[in-house]
Amino acid sequence: MKFLGKPRSQPAAFLPLCWLFLRILQPGHSHLYNNRYAGDKVIRLIPKTEEETYALKKIHHQFKVDLWQPSSISYVTEGTVTDVHISQNASRALLTFLQEANIQYKILIEDLQKVLENGNSLPTQRNRRSLSEYNYEVYHSLEEIQSWMHHLNKTHSGLIHMFSIGRSYEGRSLFILKLGRKSRAYKRAVWMDCGIHAREWIGPAFCQWFVREALLTYRSDAAMRKMLKHLYFYIMPVFNVDGYHFSWTHDRFWRKTRSRNSRFHCRGVDANRNWKVKWCDEGASVHPCDDTYCGPFPESEPEVKAVANFLRKHRKHIQAYLSFHAYAQMLLYPYSYKYATIPNFNCVESAAYKAVKALGSVYGVRYRYGPASRTLYVSSGSSMDWAYKNGIPYAFAFELRDTGHFGFLLPEMLIRPTCTETMLAVKNITMHLLKKCP
Ligand SMILES: *[C@@H]1O[C@H](CO)[C@@H](O)[C@H](O)[C@H]1NC(C)=O
Ligand SMILES: *[C@@H]1O[C@H](CO)[C@@H](O)[C@H](O)[C@H]1NC(C)=O
Ligand SMILES: *[C@@H]1O[C@H](CO)[C@@H](O)[C@H](O)[C@H]1NC(C)=O
Ligand SMILES: [Zn+2]
């Protein structure tokens, strides 16, 4: 079981120091992503009037900004908390513009490159770790996550089975872990996916954490034992494998898949707008260069198609669909695409209420919860709505920590608390499933 724990031995504690020295001695390797985010800023704007909203939309078009939240400029109206990432060069002009127009703003991150390098250890460091001392408190590359899955498939064959449901646009395997005590009896199941959006790294970290906790505690914890006895968990630690890989190698803030478009140079589709449920309507973009691009047709992305096929095939026994995103601190349920109330609202609402309460019981972190359309914004073609419409009665999307202080660059130090509290919410929802809905 050592594999599941964090290394605590002296030599392991000493290693980071050696790496630090290596880092100092090799200045050429000291910057991630070729230092491309040096001096970049993340600025928060909350338009108060119609004029300010208009100005903000103009800024979005005029300056090259990368929108962190909300995911599309079309969502911005009066009162919308809007976080934009802007390059160092453009930020000077932007700040001057804001000051002249007397629009209030707050600089959330002064130097994105610094936060990026302080929050995470360098990839070269983590590659030196052997699998037997797998560290769940750092972010892992796709290769590391896949070797971790292969390793668990070998060492925990009684509880874990790993298989592929297809290939990504760039040809990578789409791996799933099936977790649970093997049983001849019919078992219901819970689906969990992480990393639909590439830059939301805390998602894949949570999927891994969930598996570790399950394996570590199922002997000692009655609730976990019950869960693994009565249910299977299908866990997809990295949904958007190509995008996730790209966010490690090229652009830390990449969101979409990596598919090519025949008419535009922009790549990628928003894998959470590509599902066949009110596809490409409100809250999705038809333009391939946008971050919420819905794709040329529903399920155009091989990753979405593979998961949709799997869920279609297993929908009779899958009782819950859980999808992990960041950041906003919210627990969302259907609908995303319209304001109507779902038929089993009472059951779902009480599950969400309890889950959020359980989550907050550890560190006091507050989550908002409710239908995605009212709590976050209206979006069409989402995986959660699709799962719900296809007969999965409990469909949730988590927006994990934080609310913008670090945004997508949630420091590795916060992986443990974030995953610990989220774990309680997921267990609570799962236990709720095992009971009859009140
Ligand atoms: C930023 O400005 C400097 C000089 O003002 C220029 O050399 C550099 O190419 C610019 N960088 C970008 C990313 O536009
Ligand atoms: C997982 O292990 C089983 C044998 O226990 C093997 O048949 C299967 O191919 C493995 N999965 C992968 C993806 O390698
Ligand atoms: C779920 O959370 C509620 C609210 O915190 C709590 O009362 C209940 O005991 C929890 N149930 C489980 C099974 O953890
Ligand atoms: Zn997301």
Side-chain angles (χ1 to χ4, degrees):
M1 276 291 180
K2 190 177 175 234
F3 179 61
L4 299 166
K6 197 196 168 190
R8 290 223 167 68
S9 62
Q10 280 297 351
F14 179 67
L15 284 176
L17 273 179
C18 303
W19 287 318
L20 194 64
F21 282 122
L22 276 176
R23 215 185 128 179
I24 291 162
L25 292 173
Q26 295 180 297
H29 294 275
S30 63
H31 288 300
L32 298 172
Y33 303 93
N34 291 323
N35 211 24
R36 68 181 280 186
Y37 306 110
D40 285 16
K41 298 189 188 328
V42 178
I43 297 173
R44 172 163 293 179
L45 298 145
I46 308 176
K48 286 194 289 289
T49 60
E50 224 174 285
E51 290 78 50
E52 288 191 6
T53 305
Y54 178 75
L56 188 47
K57 296 199 179 196
K58 220 173 96 188
I59 287 167
H60 182 258
H61 293 294
Q62 195 173 329
F63 299 91
K64 252 181 88 186
V65 306
D66 158 32
L67 203 55
W68 277 25
Q69 90 165 341
S71 55
S72 164
I73 193 71
S74 64
Y75 292 133
V76 176
T77 59
E78 283 108 275
T80 308
V81 175
T82 310
D83 298 344
V84 301
H85 158 210
I86 185 150
S87 69
Q88 180 178 34
N89 281 9
S91 71
R92 288 190 208 108
L94 173 64
L95 294 181
T96 308
F97 175 91
L98 292 173
Q99 280 149 13
E100 277 169 5
N102 202 18
I103 297 175
Q104 285 184 20
Y105 63 89
K106 187 177 165 200
I107 297 182
L108 296 179
I109 297 178
E110 274 286 353
D111 185 338
L112 201 52
Q113 185 73 27
K114 282 209 182 105
V115 173
L116 202 146
E117 288 179 6
N118 290 343
N120 310 328
S121 42
L122 290 170
T124 48
Q125 292 175 13
R126 70 192 86 223
N127 287 344
R128 292 170 188 246
R129 286 178 196 282
S130 72
L131 262 183
S132 66
E133 21 179 68
Y134 200 83
N135 186 348
Y136 289 82
E137 296 185 46
V138 297
Y139 295 116
H140 287 282
S141 68
L142 183 68
E143 293 72 14
E144 288 168 344
I145 294 173
Q146 291 183 343
S147 347
W148 167 83
M149 293 171 86
H150 281 293
H151 184 86
L152 292 184
N153 189 46
K154 282 204 196 85
T155 54
H156 292 77
S157 58
L159 277 175
I160 284 183
H161 178 68
M162 173 194 185
F163 59 95
S164 166
I165 55 164
R167 289 192 178 273
S168 70
Y169 181 81
E170 292 180 335
R172 297 185 173 87
S173 291
L174 301 170
F175 288 124
I176 312 285
L177 292 176
K178 181 180 181 182
L179 173 69
R181 292 253 300 274
K182 295 199 175 104
S183 130
R184 274 202 219 137
Y186 172 85
K187 276 173 70 161
R188 292 179 292 165
V190 172
W191 168 276
M192 286 170 51
D193 61 53
C194 295
I196 282 188
H197 292 138
R199 61 193 178 182
E200 301 164 6
W201 284 12
I202 187 64
F206 175 72
C207 266
Q208 295 190 281
W209 189 278
F210 181 87
V211 174
R212 172 183 95 143
E213 282 294 301
L215 295 176
L216 272 180
T217 64
Y218 86 99
R219 286 179 210 277
S220 55
D221 179 62
M224 186 58 81
R225 194 162 53 243
K226 193 169 167 191
M227 283 159 54
L228 296 188
K229 183 171 175 214
H230 295 287
L231 296 165
Y232 283 122
F233 288 86
Y234 292 110
I235 299 163
M236 187 175 198
V238 188
F239 182 110
N240 176 6
V241 283
D242 297 347
Y244 187 73
H245 179 74
F246 190 72
S247 76
W248 273 74
T249 56
H250 288 82
D251 181 354
R252 176 63 185 83
F253 305 105
W254 189 256
R255 166 180 167 99
K256 300 188 283 181
T257 61
R258 291 293 300 157
S259 56
R260 282 177 195 278
N261 187 285
S262 55
R263 288 185 302 123
F264 290 83
H265 67 279
C266 294
R267 288 176 73 155
V269 166
D270 185 340
N272 205 26
R273 298 289 186 283
N274 191 232
W275 300 68
K276 200 173 178 173
V277 50
K278 206 81 189 303
W279 174 78
C280 214
D281 206 292
E282 199 178 340
S285 169
V286 292
H287 198 283
C289 293
D290 285 347
D291 255 351
T292 51
Y293 176 45
C294 58
F297 50 88
E299 296 178 22
S300 61
E301 302 314 281
E303 302 82 5
V304 171
K305 190 166 187 73
V307 173
N309 282 342
F310 183 85
L311 294 175
R312 269 190 285 265
K313 195 169 156 197
H314 297 274
R315 67 177 157 205
K316 286 216 179 71
H317 69 277
I318 294 180
Q319 293 287 303
Y321 171 88
L322 309 178
S323 194
F324 294 86
H325 292 257
Y327 58 97
Q329 293 180 191
M330 288 178 187
L331 178 53
L332 307 167
Y333 51 81
Y335 299 105
S336 274
Y337 76 93
K338 61 177 177 183
Y339 290 112
T341 302
I342 48 172
N344 62 341
F345 173 81
N346 288 341
C347 292
V348 170
E349 211 275 342
S350 78
Y353 166 75
K354 286 184 198 152
V356 162
K357 211 169 143 197
L359 186 149
S361 69
V362 213
Y363 304 104
V365 167
R366 286 200 203 181
Y367 265 51
R368 291 170 58 198
Y369 67 96
S373 53
R374 293 180 190 283
T375 314
L376 188 60
Y377 41 61
V378 172
S379 69
S380 53
S382 73
S383 65
M384 177 181 76
D385 279 355
W386 185 90
Y388 187 76
K389 290 280 236 177
N390 277 270
I392 299 177
Y394 287 87
F396 291 101
F398 281 79
E399 290 282 351
L400 302 178
R401 289 198 200 185
D402 56 15
T403 54
H405 186 73
F406 294 108
F408 302 118
L409 297 183
L410 193 73
E412 292 179 326
M413 231 180 66
L414 297 179
I415 293 177
R416 169 178 287 272
T418 303
C419 292
T420 302
E421 68 196 11
T422 308
M423 195 69 207
L424 288 186
V426 172
K427 279 175 78 175
N428 203 289
I429 289 176
T430 308
M431 293 305 280
H432 186 99
L433 289 182
L434 292 173
K435 291 189 202 123
K436 275 244 152 66
C437 177

